[in-house]
Amino acid sequence: MAIPLIYNVRSVRARWTSTIVAVLGIAGTVGVFVAMLSLAHGFKATLVASGSPGNALIMRAGSSSEMMGGVTLESVKIIQDGPGIARDASGPLVTQEVVGVMPVPLISTGTDANVQIRGVGANVLDIRKFVKISEGRMFSPGLTELVAGKNASKTYAGLTLGNTIDMAGGHWKVVGIFDAGGSAFDSEIWCDSHVLNDILKRPANIFQSVTVHMESPDSFRALKDSLTSDPRLNVDVTREIDYYAKQSTTMTKLITILGGLVAIIMAVGAVFGALNTMYSAVAERGREIATMRALGFNAGAVVFSFLVEALLISLIGGIIGCLVVLPLNGLTTSTMNFQTFSSIAFAFKITPPLLLQGILFALVMGVIGGLLPAVRAASLPVATALREL
Amino acid sequence: MKFARIIFANLLRKKVRLLLTLGSFAVALFLFAFLAVVRDAFGRGADVAGADRLVVINRTSIINTIPLSYRDKILRIPGVKCITHNNWFGGIYQDEKNFFPQFVIDAENQRQVFPELVVPDDQWAAFLKDREGAIVGARTAERFHWKIGDRIPIKTTLYGGGSWEFNIVGIYHGAQPKDDETQFWFQWDYFEERIPQAIKGQVGWYVLRLNSPDDAVAVSKAIDDEFANSTSETKTQTESAFAANWVKQFGNIKFLILSIGTVVFFTLLLVTGNTMAISVRERTSELAVFKAIGFSDRAVLFFVLAESLIIALIGGLAGLFFAVLAVPALGRALNGLLPSLVLSKPILGLGLVLAIVVGLISGMLPGIMAMRMRVVSALRRV
Amino acid sequence: MVKVDGSGGKSLIQVRDLDKTYRRAGEEIHVLQGLNLDVESGEFVAFMGPSGSGKTTLLNLLGGLDVPTRGSITVAGDEVTNMSASSLTRWRARHVGFIFQMYNLIPVLNAFQNVELPLLLTKLSKAERRAHVETALSVVGLADRMNHFPRQLSGGQEQRVTIARAIVSDPTFLLCDEPTGDLDRKSAGEIMALIEELVEHHNKTVLMVTHDPLIAARAHTTLHLDKGVLVEGKMSQAAPAGSFA
């Protein structure tokens, strides 16, 4: 027969100061755990969102990132005729792009950070369909105008609608702000690729990458085979999604390792705290336990009872921890992506699965923290305990 | 002293609890050390930056190059002692994951500008003689088990592409533990020779040494003025400013670390304070007897504080000790992701101080309760 | 000589007009009201009274553990009631030996260390302390158990160690609060015999609170606490030898 749960609940309430300590210890650990994971998650999600399944990215063979790439105008013309590339009224949906980084002061610190500037073709919005101009308008080809991603506009000084900034020796007018659905592009500024090439003093007809919109995601295979086997071209073809997923690996790895270590260390500390609380609970309630044993509850029931109590405490701690970090969801922060040298803004991304992981973590801590004391409680010789007035 | 026995006897009263509390302290101090080391690593550039060094980059974009021809003009500016230039090579050794920084260096001036990166003279001489020679930092050499005499291939898609091969002729060490020992250097002459004509004669950035750190502002301005309105405008700043700005791009690392640290310490305070409180509560009648015998209220406070401090010190030292052991291993796990992790003496010292402070604070409340406890009411509880 | 009417002359312990009032749950409770007491050196006095009558309160006041609402307590010429808290603490260490009903001994210290405790407050050297402790333990007959911990001792032995601790610094008087309350009949007898010996052969002054008339009978005088003052009871007979084997 099981010891009634109400006993545990009331006992916990009676010793609330100790219990609060254990609860807070677990809450703190779970909070940090969830926050760290959501940071890594958010970073990855931002980059992954940048890719569409229907797009393919074409770069010079062997390039690990866009910045390394180099595709000539002739190659672009050949690529345009590739199989499976979608077309619309104006022609094949192909955009050749130039990518660079430029120093612009951060609003937060006033010091320069590298913002990624992307020179695009005029038809880029037809290819990256999830990007929409939210304020103002698209830039006019040939002019030193730019549109800023919504995160870039919030992070860097001067990127507000109608403003003109000096960058790379040119006067750029910010004619629009775009919303790229929470992807990496939100941290970029876009302009005409020819103008950018000019300003960066690059050879006029060389681009860093070509992005194409395919008729359907399944056209990828055919397109890739065709382009890579073409002797006139020296390119790699990657699904846009895969490319961006790869771009995030270093930073995600760093955050995950660091965050994971911190969470583990904190968990050990929290478990110690829980153990302390549970052990002293057992000590203080020695007589009660003995009485219950004498009444007929067996050792198993005692173990179970204390285990349940530990789980109860850790569950509450876990829930509190999750609730406390929940407001962080959507909070943007920015950091530098090693692989592209540029700053990228991303948001904490807390998802239900993540919260569940947090709760599970709390429960695991509760089990570890509750098991040994529970066993100790059950193994107290009844007679001794009763004698202990 | 004669009260030591009482204090230690009390500590050993419940061994499991003692171990757990010691463990909590150890864990918290370990975490503190870890966080401090990581924060340190992020800010490393700024710390090791030479006070008398300036960095000159292309104003338009850091990835744009600057003409080599600027060098002599910069040297003529008063206050400039010597100058060297670097290019970022950015090749791949076997796998993208094996990242380490590769620089094309100006052999003639490298050591004058970066004296803290030490190369034995004989190895340097060998380097100068071998066009395809390379000098690698001790950490990177250790990571890939390279020895002097190895031939290393590095692939690149830039600079005309292909596989470049180098002979390891030297290994450099940093003068201080904080110095970066991950770099890979090879010769400018070799680089210039192999790259396509179109991009010859361009450096990535200049690093120069000043006659005096006080000249930093004036010389920076002079350099940037010199090249204003030219094809490649420059931006000159001190090495520490450059590094600091670089770190700032990582976002609020400090804030993140500080908040975690605060959460940890608050939790630690709670745990140990609670443990002390429980321990004092259990001993109420005993403490009453002490007071009845004639021990003063303050003596009782002293006992409680002493216990708390001893736990804090032992636990804290244990945690810091584990940190000293673990940090190098962590550094290896994060290889390439962060600069080397160094557990410096100031960090250890600060950790000890924090442990003591927490010990005092967590013992204070129960101690005061014990001090204030009235013998009469405590005994009545019996 | 023991008097309760305030008419004593130069006695060791002199209490005049003692009042003690508590506040509990908003009410005022007058436990002691105008109590008088005179105890001369070498006396063995038992205090009896119903539960809540204030026996323990009186003992606490006499031992300097509590402060009266009004009145005075003078011990060996020192007026205790006027002392500051720290002086009182020092006074207590010098003049009073306590024997409570239970929880007297510190469980993590052995018999020797427990008895030594009061001496740690003095300036005696380690060797001197050792000598005093060994003497005290011999008096109570537990010299061979010096290194045992309380959990290794029986209830009676624990109380004997307590007595050793109470006498080790040679205090002016001993205060006992139900010293045998927790013991079985046989051990209780042994403890009382020990206390009697301390009174007869070592000239100790002992004030004892008890609810057990058989125990009280072993004292020279029994006083009853009634309506806040002490009243003399029947003069106790010396217990017939052999009652408590």
Side-chain angles (χ1 to χ4, degrees), chain A residues 299-320:
Chain A
V302 173
V303 171
F304 184 68
S305 172
F306 271 90
L307 212 48
V308 164
E309 192 169 317
L311 283 173
L312 194 65
I313 293 177
S314 57
L315 182 64
I316 297 177
I319 294 178
I320 294 180

PDB file of all heavy atoms in Angstrom, chain A residues 299-320:
ATOM      1  N   ALA A 299       9.091  -1.060   3.345  1.00  0.00           N
ATOM      2  CA  ALA A 299      10.242  -0.251   2.925  1.00  0.00           C
ATOM      3  C   ALA A 299      10.031   0.331   1.544  1.00  0.00           C
ATOM      4  O   ALA A 299      10.352   1.496   1.269  1.00  0.00           O
ATOM      5  CB  ALA A 299      11.509  -1.095   2.959  1.00  0.00           C
ATOM      6  N   GLY A 300       9.489  -0.498   0.649  1.00  0.00           N
ATOM      7  CA  GLY A 300       9.263  -0.016  -0.715  1.00  0.00           C
ATOM      8  C   GLY A 300       8.385   1.208  -0.759  1.00  0.00           C
ATOM      9  O   GLY A 300       8.642   2.158  -1.508  1.00  0.00           O
ATOM     10  N   ALA A 301       7.345   1.181   0.081  1.00  0.00           N
ATOM     11  CA  ALA A 301       6.430   2.321   0.104  1.00  0.00           C
ATOM     12  C   ALA A 301       7.154   3.581   0.549  1.00  0.00           C
ATOM     13  O   ALA A 301       6.907   4.672   0.035  1.00  0.00           O
ATOM     14  CB  ALA A 301       5.263   2.027   1.030  1.00  0.00           C
ATOM     15  N   VAL A 302       8.078   3.420   1.492  1.00  0.00           N
ATOM     16  CA  VAL A 302       8.825   4.587   1.987  1.00  0.00           C
ATOM     17  C   VAL A 302       9.722   5.142   0.889  1.00  0.00           C
ATOM     18  O   VAL A 302       9.775   6.353   0.655  1.00  0.00           O
ATOM     19  CB  VAL A 302       9.686   4.209   3.220  1.00  0.00           C
ATOM     20  CG1 VAL A 302      10.582   5.360   3.608  1.00  0.00           C
ATOM     21  CG2 VAL A 302       8.783   3.820   4.374  1.00  0.00           C
ATOM     22  N   VAL A 303      10.417   4.224   0.227  1.00  0.00           N
ATOM     23  CA  VAL A 303      11.300   4.671  -0.865  1.00  0.00           C
ATOM     24  C   VAL A 303      10.499   5.421  -1.913  1.00  0.00           C
ATOM     25  O   VAL A 303      10.848   6.528  -2.339  1.00  0.00           O
ATOM     26  CB  VAL A 303      12.030   3.477  -1.520  1.00  0.00           C
ATOM     27  CG1 VAL A 303      12.753   3.930  -2.780  1.00  0.00           C
ATOM     28  CG2 VAL A 303      13.006   2.851  -0.556  1.00  0.00           C
ATOM     29  N   PHE A 304       9.403   4.794  -2.301  1.00  0.00           N
ATOM     30  CA  PHE A 304       8.572   5.405  -3.330  1.00  0.00           C
ATOM     31  C   PHE A 304       8.098   6.785  -2.889  1.00  0.00           C
ATOM     32  O   PHE A 304       8.123   7.754  -3.649  1.00  0.00           O
ATOM     33  CB  PHE A 304       7.387   4.475  -3.602  1.00  0.00           C
ATOM     34  CG  PHE A 304       6.511   4.955  -4.715  1.00  0.00           C
ATOM     35  CD1 PHE A 304       6.968   4.964  -6.028  1.00  0.00           C
ATOM     36  CD2 PHE A 304       5.229   5.404  -4.458  1.00  0.00           C
ATOM     37  CE1 PHE A 304       6.180   5.409  -7.052  1.00  0.00           C
ATOM     38  CE2 PHE A 304       4.425   5.860  -5.493  1.00  0.00           C
ATOM     39  CZ  PHE A 304       4.897   5.856  -6.782  1.00  0.00           C
ATOM     40  N   SER A 305       7.669   6.850  -1.624  1.00  0.00           N
ATOM     41  CA  SER A 305       7.157   8.112  -1.111  1.00  0.00           C
ATOM     42  C   SER A 305       8.194   9.226  -1.198  1.00  0.00           C
ATOM     43  O   SER A 305       7.904  10.336  -1.657  1.00  0.00           O
ATOM     44  CB  SER A 305       6.703   7.914   0.334  1.00  0.00           C
ATOM     45  OG  SER A 305       6.385   9.147   0.906  1.00  0.00           O
ATOM     46  N   PHE A 306       9.400   8.938  -0.786  1.00  0.00           N
ATOM     47  CA  PHE A 306      10.430   9.978  -0.815  1.00  0.00           C
ATOM     48  C   PHE A 306      10.845  10.320  -2.232  1.00  0.00           C
ATOM     49  O   PHE A 306      11.157  11.466  -2.558  1.00  0.00           O
ATOM     50  CB  PHE A 306      11.654   9.549   0.007  1.00  0.00           C
ATOM     51  CG  PHE A 306      11.537   9.942   1.436  1.00  0.00           C
ATOM     52  CD1 PHE A 306      10.962   9.099   2.353  1.00  0.00           C
ATOM     53  CD2 PHE A 306      11.954  11.197   1.847  1.00  0.00           C
ATOM     54  CE1 PHE A 306      10.815   9.478   3.662  1.00  0.00           C
ATOM     55  CE2 PHE A 306      11.814  11.587   3.164  1.00  0.00           C
ATOM     56  CZ  PHE A 306      11.245  10.722   4.080  1.00  0.00           C
ATOM     57  N   LEU A 307      10.854   9.297  -3.070  1.00  0.00           N
ATOM     58  CA  LEU A 307      11.214   9.538  -4.460  1.00  0.00           C
ATOM     59  C   LEU A 307      10.191  10.485  -5.095  1.00  0.00           C
ATOM     60  O   LEU A 307      10.542  11.431  -5.805  1.00  0.00           O
ATOM     61  CB  LEU A 307      11.248   8.215  -5.206  1.00  0.00           C
ATOM     62  CG  LEU A 307      12.252   8.096  -6.337  1.00  0.00           C
ATOM     63  CD1 LEU A 307      13.608   8.578  -5.893  1.00  0.00           C
ATOM     64  CD2 LEU A 307      12.325   6.669  -6.801  1.00  0.00           C
ATOM     65  N   VAL A 308       8.923  10.194  -4.811  1.00  0.00           N
ATOM     66  CA  VAL A 308       7.869  11.050  -5.351  1.00  0.00           C
ATOM     67  C   VAL A 308       8.049  12.477  -4.854  1.00  0.00           C
ATOM     68  O   VAL A 308       7.880  13.450  -5.602  1.00  0.00           O
ATOM     69  CB  VAL A 308       6.480  10.504  -4.942  1.00  0.00           C
ATOM     70  CG1 VAL A 308       5.406  11.561  -5.143  1.00  0.00           C
ATOM     71  CG2 VAL A 308       6.142   9.272  -5.755  1.00  0.00           C
ATOM     72  N   GLU A 309       8.413  12.588  -3.589  1.00  0.00           N
ATOM     73  CA  GLU A 309       8.607  13.931  -3.041  1.00  0.00           C
ATOM     74  C   GLU A 309       9.735  14.653  -3.762  1.00  0.00           C
ATOM     75  O   GLU A 309       9.623  15.832  -4.113  1.00  0.00           O
ATOM     76  CB  GLU A 309       8.940  13.808  -1.554  1.00  0.00           C
ATOM     77  CG  GLU A 309       8.886  15.127  -0.835  1.00  0.00           C
ATOM     78  CD  GLU A 309       8.949  14.929   0.663  1.00  0.00           C
ATOM     79  OE1 GLU A 309       8.272  14.004   1.150  1.00  0.00           O
ATOM     80  OE2 GLU A 309       9.663  15.690   1.317  1.00  0.00           O
ATOM     81  N   ALA A 310      10.831  13.917  -3.981  1.00  0.00           N
ATOM     82  CA  ALA A 310      11.964  14.530  -4.691  1.00  0.00           C
ATOM     83  C   ALA A 310      11.551  14.952  -6.086  1.00  0.00           C
ATOM     84  O   ALA A 310      11.917  16.024  -6.578  1.00  0.00           O
ATOM     85  CB  ALA A 310      13.124  13.552  -4.753  1.00  0.00           C
ATOM     86  N   LEU A 311      10.767  14.092  -6.747  1.00  0.00           N
ATOM     87  CA  LEU A 311      10.327  14.421  -8.102  1.00  0.00           C
ATOM     88  C   LEU A 311       9.400  15.628  -8.091  1.00  0.00           C
ATOM     89  O   LEU A 311       9.445  16.483  -8.982  1.00  0.00           O
ATOM     90  CB  LEU A 311       9.605  13.218  -8.726  1.00  0.00           C
ATOM     91  CG  LEU A 311      10.540  12.115  -9.205  1.00  0.00           C
ATOM     92  CD1 LEU A 311       9.761  10.898  -9.642  1.00  0.00           C
ATOM     93  CD2 LEU A 311      11.406  12.621 -10.341  1.00  0.00           C
ATOM     94  N   LEU A 312       8.582  15.691  -7.067  1.00  0.00           N
ATOM     95  CA  LEU A 312       7.675  16.825  -6.953  1.00  0.00           C
ATOM     96  C   LEU A 312       8.472  18.127  -6.860  1.00  0.00           C
ATOM     97  O   LEU A 312       8.204  19.105  -7.573  1.00  0.00           O
ATOM     98  CB  LEU A 312       6.829  16.640  -5.681  1.00  0.00           C
ATOM     99  CG  LEU A 312       5.601  17.538  -5.543  1.00  0.00           C
ATOM    100  CD1 LEU A 312       4.614  17.202  -6.631  1.00  0.00           C
ATOM    101  CD2 LEU A 312       4.975  17.336  -4.183  1.00  0.00           C
ATOM    102  N   ILE A 313       9.469  18.102  -5.984  1.00  0.00           N
ATOM    103  CA  ILE A 313      10.302  19.289  -5.805  1.00  0.00           C
ATOM    104  C   ILE A 313      11.003  19.660  -7.108  1.00  0.00           C
ATOM    105  O   ILE A 313      11.028  20.824  -7.527  1.00  0.00           O
ATOM    106  CB  ILE A 313      11.354  19.050  -4.710  1.00  0.00           C
ATOM    107  CG1 ILE A 313      10.681  18.896  -3.350  1.00  0.00           C
ATOM    108  CG2 ILE A 313      12.355  20.187  -4.672  1.00  0.00           C
ATOM    109  CD1 ILE A 313      11.658  18.579  -2.246  1.00  0.00           C
ATOM    110  N   SER A 314      11.564  18.656  -7.770  1.00  0.00           N
ATOM    111  CA  SER A 314      12.327  18.974  -8.980  1.00  0.00           C
ATOM    112  C   SER A 314      11.401  19.391 -10.113  1.00  0.00           C
ATOM    113  O   SER A 314      11.763  20.220 -10.945  1.00  0.00           O
ATOM    114  CB  SER A 314      13.195  17.796  -9.402  1.00  0.00           C
ATOM    115  OG  SER A 314      12.398  16.664  -9.603  1.00  0.00           O
ATOM    116  N   LEU A 315      10.183  18.840 -10.131  1.00  0.00           N
ATOM    117  CA  LEU A 315       9.243  19.251 -11.170  1.00  0.00           C
ATOM    118  C   LEU A 315       8.910  20.729 -11.006  1.00  0.00           C
ATOM    119  O   LEU A 315       8.933  21.506 -11.968  1.00  0.00           O
ATOM    120  CB  LEU A 315       7.962  18.411 -11.075  1.00  0.00           C
ATOM    121  CG  LEU A 315       6.917  18.728 -12.143  1.00  0.00           C
ATOM    122  CD1 LEU A 315       7.456  18.384 -13.521  1.00  0.00           C
ATOM    123  CD2 LEU A 315       5.627  17.966 -11.892  1.00  0.00           C
ATOM    124  N   ILE A 316       8.624  21.115  -9.772  1.00  0.00           N
ATOM    125  CA  ILE A 316       8.320  22.523  -9.521  1.00  0.00           C
ATOM    126  C   ILE A 316       9.505  23.398  -9.910  1.00  0.00           C
ATOM    127  O   ILE A 316       9.355  24.433 -10.559  1.00  0.00           O
ATOM    128  CB  ILE A 316       7.963  22.751  -8.031  1.00  0.00           C
ATOM    129  CG1 ILE A 316       6.696  21.972  -7.686  1.00  0.00           C
ATOM    130  CG2 ILE A 316       7.768  24.224  -7.751  1.00  0.00           C
ATOM    131  CD1 ILE A 316       6.311  22.071  -6.237  1.00  0.00           C
ATOM    132  N   GLY A 317      10.693  22.925  -9.527  1.00  0.00           N
ATOM    133  CA  GLY A 317      11.900  23.684  -9.882  1.00  0.00           C
ATOM    134  C   GLY A 317      12.051  23.817 -11.377  1.00  0.00           C
ATOM    135  O   GLY A 317      12.360  24.880 -11.910  1.00  0.00           O
ATOM    136  N   GLY A 318      11.796  22.707 -12.085  1.00  0.00           N
ATOM    137  CA  GLY A 318      11.929  22.737 -13.532  1.00  0.00           C
ATOM    138  C   GLY A 318      10.942  23.693 -14.169  1.00  0.00           C
ATOM    139  O   GLY A 318      11.282  24.472 -15.072  1.00  0.00           O
ATOM    140  N   ILE A 319       9.713  23.661 -13.691  1.00  0.00           N
ATOM    141  CA  ILE A 319       8.689  24.541 -14.261  1.00  0.00           C
ATOM    142  C   ILE A 319       9.047  26.001 -14.019  1.00  0.00           C
ATOM    143  O   ILE A 319       8.973  26.841 -14.915  1.00  0.00           O
ATOM    144  CB  ILE A 319       7.297  24.231 -13.669  1.00  0.00           C
ATOM    145  CG1 ILE A 319       6.857  22.836 -14.115  1.00  0.00           C
ATOM    146  CG2 ILE A 319       6.284  25.264 -14.101  1.00  0.00           C
ATOM    147  CD1 ILE A 319       5.522  22.411 -13.561  1.00  0.00           C
ATOM    148  N   ILE A 320       9.484  26.286 -12.794  1.00  0.00           N
ATOM    149  CA  ILE A 320       9.880  27.662 -12.494  1.00  0.00           C
ATOM    150  C   ILE A 320      11.026  28.099 -13.395  1.00  0.00           C
ATOM    151  O   ILE A 320      11.017  29.195 -13.961  1.00  0.00           O
ATOM    152  CB  ILE A 320      10.305  27.812 -11.021  1.00  0.00           C
ATOM    153  CG1 ILE A 320       9.104  27.591 -10.119  1.00  0.00           C
ATOM    154  CG2 ILE A 320      10.916  29.179 -10.774  1.00  0.00           C
ATOM    155  CD1 ILE A 320       9.426  27.727  -8.653  1.00  0.00           C
TER     156      ILE A 320
END
